[in-house]
Amino acid sequence: MARINQNYEKLAGGYLFPEIRRRVQEFQERNPGVKVIRLGIGDTVLHLPQLITGALSGKAEALGTDDYTGYGDEQGEPPLRQALAKHYLDKFNVSLDPRVFFVSDGAKPDVANIGSLFHLSSRIAIEGPAYPVAVDSSVIHGRAGAFNAATGRYDGVYYMPCIEENGFFPDLPVQKVDLIYLIRPNNPTGATATIAQLQPFVDYAIRNGAVIIFDVAYAAYQSTPGLVSSIYQVPGAERCAIEIGSFSKWAGFTGVRLGWSIVPESLVVEDSVPGELHSMWNRNRCTTFNGACNIAQAGGLAVLTDVGQAGCQQIVEYYMNNASIIVRELRSLGLTVYGGVDAPYAWVKTPKGETSWGFFDRLLNEAKVVCTPGAGFGPDGEGYIRLSAFGTAENINNALLSIKNNLKL
Ligand code: PLP
């Protein structure tokens, strides 16, 4: 008889967005006709530049002609892998062989699947608060113990608090861990990283045979000089780090679906030789994935052209202008606000020690604005809410006006 993977029963998540939906729906039933402004979800809203939609539709049209193509390389089409490698060289001064880039259907599946390369006993370390995919997928794989409702944490997982006291950058683990998941710029705190901050992590990983899994989904949102856009800007990282990137927030591809992972040949762990993890990931791609959508890849290639980059940069700047309005206006009300400078999320401290959900309810009921309660990203997010800059300027301005006029502070 088939039996279920009982690890799914351990999952505590899946609660955040349904709970937000439930509360918003309840509010709307109580207040019919009242419009709420949603600054909760991190989804892009702006139109794509024409060069990119042209490439997407051009490829779709080509499928109806003699230029039809079927299965492509599981690792991604060579021109796109080459364009990604060139982008890393031109923009980040990181020289990587195009063969180490594996094109995917987005960063989320890559973050969730990459753990399959490592022994089940590997101990994971995650930032708290954090986008939940790394921890949830590790639970599914069987790398975590039970969820402890009292602490809000899984047994066996090493949590690295990223809180006000440490400038939202994690301290080095004081116990031995094997897989260190880092998101920089971070979702939800918007905190970034410099080479000087990451070097100790790279040194730790090399010393302990650990692997850093570095999520750069928001790298394009950074403008402050000196911030790391790729872990491979940190000396030694090619020996101990995997990087996962996305076209979603960078190029408005949340629905198109395109991302990449980088597994260098020089990456080694305790029982592997150089090249082994790279070929294992190659094997994984060939076995479990048949390559990213060819239409999406044509769009990705357009994103990486100079014109595509200029178009995406305009969109990034639009969202970052929203972010700076959020930060400025909330600060003017006396609120403490982090993030929102090199990331599209503002991380707002709740006033007077209010709980995340308490402040969420007040924002909704008093100002008609929907946010994401920080506690939904783990216990270290308690006492904060996240506001997303992914919206139209009109919505952002209306939300802030309503907060100013209606929220009791
Ligand atoms: N990584 C982080 C840190 C995210 O916040 C998100 C989406 O919100 C993703 C990855 C998902 O990326 P993708 O759309 O490429 O799957």
Side-chain angles (χ1 to χ4, degrees), residues 25-42:
Q25 201 175 339
E26 200 182 274
F27 171 85
Q28 286 180 317
E29 279 161 15
R30 273 190 283 114
N31 302 277
V34 173
K35 200 168 162 273
V36 297
I37 309 173
R38 294 169 198 271
L39 301 189
I41 298 253

PDB file of all heavy atoms in Angstrom, residues 25-42:
ATOM      1  N   GLN A  25     -11.077  39.316   3.419  1.00  0.00           N
ATOM      2  CA  GLN A  25     -12.435  38.968   2.994  1.00  0.00           C
ATOM      3  C   GLN A  25     -13.451  39.323   4.083  1.00  0.00           C
ATOM      4  O   GLN A  25     -14.509  39.905   3.801  1.00  0.00           O
ATOM      5  CB  GLN A  25     -12.482  37.469   2.719  1.00  0.00           C
ATOM      6  CG  GLN A  25     -13.640  37.074   1.820  1.00  0.00           C
ATOM      7  CD  GLN A  25     -13.544  35.595   1.480  1.00  0.00           C
ATOM      8  OE1 GLN A  25     -12.489  34.974   1.568  1.00  0.00           O
ATOM      9  NE2 GLN A  25     -14.671  35.030   1.107  1.00  0.00           N
ATOM     10  N   GLU A  26     -13.096  39.016   5.300  1.00  0.00           N
ATOM     11  CA  GLU A  26     -13.976  39.322   6.429  1.00  0.00           C
ATOM     12  C   GLU A  26     -14.201  40.841   6.520  1.00  0.00           C
ATOM     13  O   GLU A  26     -15.319  41.306   6.702  1.00  0.00           O
ATOM     14  CB  GLU A  26     -13.309  38.805   7.705  1.00  0.00           C
ATOM     15  CG  GLU A  26     -14.235  38.606   8.865  1.00  0.00           C
ATOM     16  CD  GLU A  26     -13.429  38.153  10.069  1.00  0.00           C
ATOM     17  OE1 GLU A  26     -13.209  36.947  10.187  1.00  0.00           O
ATOM     18  OE2 GLU A  26     -12.984  39.023  10.855  1.00  0.00           O
ATOM     19  N   PHE A  27     -13.099  41.588   6.322  1.00  0.00           N
ATOM     20  CA  PHE A  27     -13.208  43.061   6.353  1.00  0.00           C
ATOM     21  C   PHE A  27     -14.165  43.532   5.259  1.00  0.00           C
ATOM     22  O   PHE A  27     -15.018  44.395   5.482  1.00  0.00           O
ATOM     23  CB  PHE A  27     -11.822  43.692   6.151  1.00  0.00           C
ATOM     24  CG  PHE A  27     -11.854  45.180   5.961  1.00  0.00           C
ATOM     25  CD1 PHE A  27     -11.862  46.032   7.062  1.00  0.00           C
ATOM     26  CD2 PHE A  27     -11.918  45.745   4.689  1.00  0.00           C
ATOM     27  CE1 PHE A  27     -11.926  47.415   6.889  1.00  0.00           C
ATOM     28  CE2 PHE A  27     -11.978  47.126   4.507  1.00  0.00           C
ATOM     29  CZ  PHE A  27     -11.980  47.956   5.614  1.00  0.00           C
ATOM     30  N   GLN A  28     -14.023  42.924   4.062  1.00  0.00           N
ATOM     31  CA  GLN A  28     -14.846  43.374   2.939  1.00  0.00           C
ATOM     32  C   GLN A  28     -16.318  43.022   3.134  1.00  0.00           C
ATOM     33  O   GLN A  28     -17.191  43.777   2.728  1.00  0.00           O
ATOM     34  CB  GLN A  28     -14.287  42.823   1.635  1.00  0.00           C
ATOM     35  CG  GLN A  28     -13.014  43.579   1.269  1.00  0.00           C
ATOM     36  CD  GLN A  28     -12.363  43.119  -0.015  1.00  0.00           C
ATOM     37  OE1 GLN A  28     -12.260  41.927  -0.278  1.00  0.00           O
ATOM     38  NE2 GLN A  28     -11.902  44.078  -0.797  1.00  0.00           N
ATOM     39  N   GLU A  29     -16.557  41.885   3.797  1.00  0.00           N
ATOM     40  CA  GLU A  29     -17.959  41.530   4.079  1.00  0.00           C
ATOM     41  C   GLU A  29     -18.565  42.514   5.079  1.00  0.00           C
ATOM     42  O   GLU A  29     -19.729  42.895   4.978  1.00  0.00           O
ATOM     43  CB  GLU A  29     -18.042  40.099   4.624  1.00  0.00           C
ATOM     44  CG  GLU A  29     -17.995  39.074   3.506  1.00  0.00           C
ATOM     45  CD  GLU A  29     -17.621  37.688   3.991  1.00  0.00           C
ATOM     46  OE1 GLU A  29     -17.659  37.435   5.213  1.00  0.00           O
ATOM     47  OE2 GLU A  29     -17.265  36.848   3.138  1.00  0.00           O
ATOM     48  N   ARG A  30     -17.748  42.950   6.028  1.00  0.00           N
ATOM     49  CA  ARG A  30     -18.226  43.915   7.034  1.00  0.00           C
ATOM     50  C   ARG A  30     -18.354  45.324   6.447  1.00  0.00           C
ATOM     51  O   ARG A  30     -19.092  46.149   6.953  1.00  0.00           O
ATOM     52  CB  ARG A  30     -17.242  43.963   8.214  1.00  0.00           C
ATOM     53  CG  ARG A  30     -17.509  42.918   9.290  1.00  0.00           C
ATOM     54  CD  ARG A  30     -16.663  43.167  10.531  1.00  0.00           C
ATOM     55  NE  ARG A  30     -15.282  42.743  10.357  1.00  0.00           N
ATOM     56  CZ  ARG A  30     -14.226  43.525  10.335  1.00  0.00           C
ATOM     57  NH1 ARG A  30     -14.377  44.824  10.478  1.00  0.00           N
ATOM     58  NH2 ARG A  30     -13.013  43.037  10.172  1.00  0.00           N
ATOM     59  N   ASN A  31     -17.561  45.588   5.406  1.00  0.00           N
ATOM     60  CA  ASN A  31     -17.520  46.948   4.822  1.00  0.00           C
ATOM     61  C   ASN A  31     -17.724  46.892   3.313  1.00  0.00           C
ATOM     62  O   ASN A  31     -16.812  47.191   2.545  1.00  0.00           O
ATOM     63  CB  ASN A  31     -16.157  47.598   5.113  1.00  0.00           C
ATOM     64  CG  ASN A  31     -15.862  47.684   6.585  1.00  0.00           C
ATOM     65  OD1 ASN A  31     -16.307  48.588   7.258  1.00  0.00           O
ATOM     66  ND2 ASN A  31     -15.123  46.712   7.083  1.00  0.00           N
ATOM     67  N   PRO A  32     -18.924  46.495   2.877  1.00  0.00           N
ATOM     68  CA  PRO A  32     -19.124  46.334   1.436  1.00  0.00           C
ATOM     69  C   PRO A  32     -18.867  47.650   0.689  1.00  0.00           C
ATOM     70  O   PRO A  32     -19.223  48.716   1.178  1.00  0.00           O
ATOM     71  CB  PRO A  32     -20.593  45.905   1.316  1.00  0.00           C
ATOM     72  CG  PRO A  32     -21.211  46.135   2.645  1.00  0.00           C
ATOM     73  CD  PRO A  32     -20.135  46.248   3.668  1.00  0.00           C
ATOM     74  N   GLY A  33     -18.203  47.528  -0.439  1.00  0.00           N
ATOM     75  CA  GLY A  33     -17.950  48.714  -1.265  1.00  0.00           C
ATOM     76  C   GLY A  33     -16.690  49.471  -0.879  1.00  0.00           C
ATOM     77  O   GLY A  33     -16.231  50.324  -1.635  1.00  0.00           O
ATOM     78  N   VAL A  34     -16.103  49.170   0.280  1.00  0.00           N
ATOM     79  CA  VAL A  34     -14.878  49.884   0.671  1.00  0.00           C
ATOM     80  C   VAL A  34     -13.690  49.226  -0.033  1.00  0.00           C
ATOM     81  O   VAL A  34     -13.523  48.002   0.008  1.00  0.00           O
ATOM     82  CB  VAL A  34     -14.671  49.848   2.209  1.00  0.00           C
ATOM     83  CG1 VAL A  34     -13.319  50.444   2.581  1.00  0.00           C
ATOM     84  CG2 VAL A  34     -15.795  50.586   2.906  1.00  0.00           C
ATOM     85  N   LYS A  35     -12.884  50.049  -0.697  1.00  0.00           N
ATOM     86  CA  LYS A  35     -11.761  49.524  -1.476  1.00  0.00           C
ATOM     87  C   LYS A  35     -10.539  49.359  -0.576  1.00  0.00           C
ATOM     88  O   LYS A  35     -10.187  50.302   0.145  1.00  0.00           O
ATOM     89  CB  LYS A  35     -11.461  50.509  -2.617  1.00  0.00           C
ATOM     90  CG  LYS A  35     -10.689  49.893  -3.748  1.00  0.00           C
ATOM     91  CD  LYS A  35     -10.675  50.838  -4.958  1.00  0.00           C
ATOM     92  CE  LYS A  35      -9.573  50.434  -5.903  1.00  0.00           C
ATOM     93  NZ  LYS A  35      -8.284  51.014  -5.612  1.00  0.00           N
ATOM     94  N   VAL A  36      -9.929  48.192  -0.615  1.00  0.00           N
ATOM     95  CA  VAL A  36      -8.674  48.036   0.132  1.00  0.00           C
ATOM     96  C   VAL A  36      -7.503  48.182  -0.846  1.00  0.00           C
ATOM     97  O   VAL A  36      -7.634  47.899  -2.035  1.00  0.00           O
ATOM     98  CB  VAL A  36      -8.571  46.676   0.866  1.00  0.00           C
ATOM     99  CG1 VAL A  36      -9.651  46.526   1.915  1.00  0.00           C
ATOM    100  CG2 VAL A  36      -8.576  45.516  -0.100  1.00  0.00           C
ATOM    101  N   ILE A  37      -6.362  48.654  -0.321  1.00  0.00           N
ATOM    102  CA  ILE A  37      -5.174  48.825  -1.168  1.00  0.00           C
ATOM    103  C   ILE A  37      -4.161  47.769  -0.733  1.00  0.00           C
ATOM    104  O   ILE A  37      -3.781  47.700   0.435  1.00  0.00           O
ATOM    105  CB  ILE A  37      -4.576  50.239  -1.022  1.00  0.00           C
ATOM    106  CG1 ILE A  37      -5.677  51.287  -1.223  1.00  0.00           C
ATOM    107  CG2 ILE A  37      -3.457  50.449  -2.030  1.00  0.00           C
ATOM    108  CD1 ILE A  37      -5.242  52.708  -0.937  1.00  0.00           C
ATOM    109  N   ARG A  38      -3.753  46.955  -1.686  1.00  0.00           N
ATOM    110  CA  ARG A  38      -2.919  45.800  -1.334  1.00  0.00           C
ATOM    111  C   ARG A  38      -1.439  46.092  -1.540  1.00  0.00           C
ATOM    112  O   ARG A  38      -0.982  46.242  -2.657  1.00  0.00           O
ATOM    113  CB  ARG A  38      -3.321  44.587  -2.190  1.00  0.00           C
ATOM    114  CG  ARG A  38      -4.715  44.114  -1.863  1.00  0.00           C
ATOM    115  CD  ARG A  38      -5.215  43.092  -2.877  1.00  0.00           C
ATOM    116  NE  ARG A  38      -6.666  42.982  -2.809  1.00  0.00           N
ATOM    117  CZ  ARG A  38      -7.322  42.158  -2.007  1.00  0.00           C
ATOM    118  NH1 ARG A  38      -6.659  41.331  -1.243  1.00  0.00           N
ATOM    119  NH2 ARG A  38      -8.643  42.139  -1.990  1.00  0.00           N
ATOM    120  N   LEU A  39      -0.715  46.170  -0.439  1.00  0.00           N
ATOM    121  CA  LEU A  39       0.745  46.310  -0.519  1.00  0.00           C
ATOM    122  C   LEU A  39       1.393  45.108   0.165  1.00  0.00           C
ATOM    123  O   LEU A  39       2.455  45.205   0.778  1.00  0.00           O
ATOM    124  CB  LEU A  39       1.202  47.609   0.158  1.00  0.00           C
ATOM    125  CG  LEU A  39       0.634  48.926  -0.383  1.00  0.00           C
ATOM    126  CD1 LEU A  39       1.332  50.109   0.242  1.00  0.00           C
ATOM    127  CD2 LEU A  39       0.770  49.009  -1.895  1.00  0.00           C
ATOM    128  N   GLY A  40       0.698  43.996   0.080  1.00  0.00           N
ATOM    129  CA  GLY A  40       1.187  42.797   0.764  1.00  0.00           C
ATOM    130  C   GLY A  40       2.056  41.933  -0.137  1.00  0.00           C
ATOM    131  O   GLY A  40       3.189  41.606   0.185  1.00  0.00           O
ATOM    132  N   ILE A  41       1.538  41.611  -1.299  1.00  0.00           N
ATOM    133  CA  ILE A  41       2.182  40.596  -2.140  1.00  0.00           C
ATOM    134  C   ILE A  41       3.331  41.193  -2.951  1.00  0.00           C
ATOM    135  O   ILE A  41       3.239  42.310  -3.441  1.00  0.00           O
ATOM    136  CB  ILE A  41       1.123  39.990  -3.096  1.00  0.00           C
ATOM    137  CG1 ILE A  41       0.047  39.320  -2.247  1.00  0.00           C
ATOM    138  CG2 ILE A  41       1.746  39.044  -4.076  1.00  0.00           C
ATOM    139  CD1 ILE A  41       0.022  37.850  -2.217  1.00  0.00           C
ATOM    140  N   GLY A  42       4.388  40.417  -3.123  1.00  0.00           N
ATOM    141  CA  GLY A  42       5.542  40.865  -3.902  1.00  0.00           C
ATOM    142  C   GLY A  42       5.417  40.470  -5.360  1.00  0.00           C
ATOM    143  O   GLY A  42       6.281  39.768  -5.878  1.00  0.00           O
TER     144      GLY A  42
END
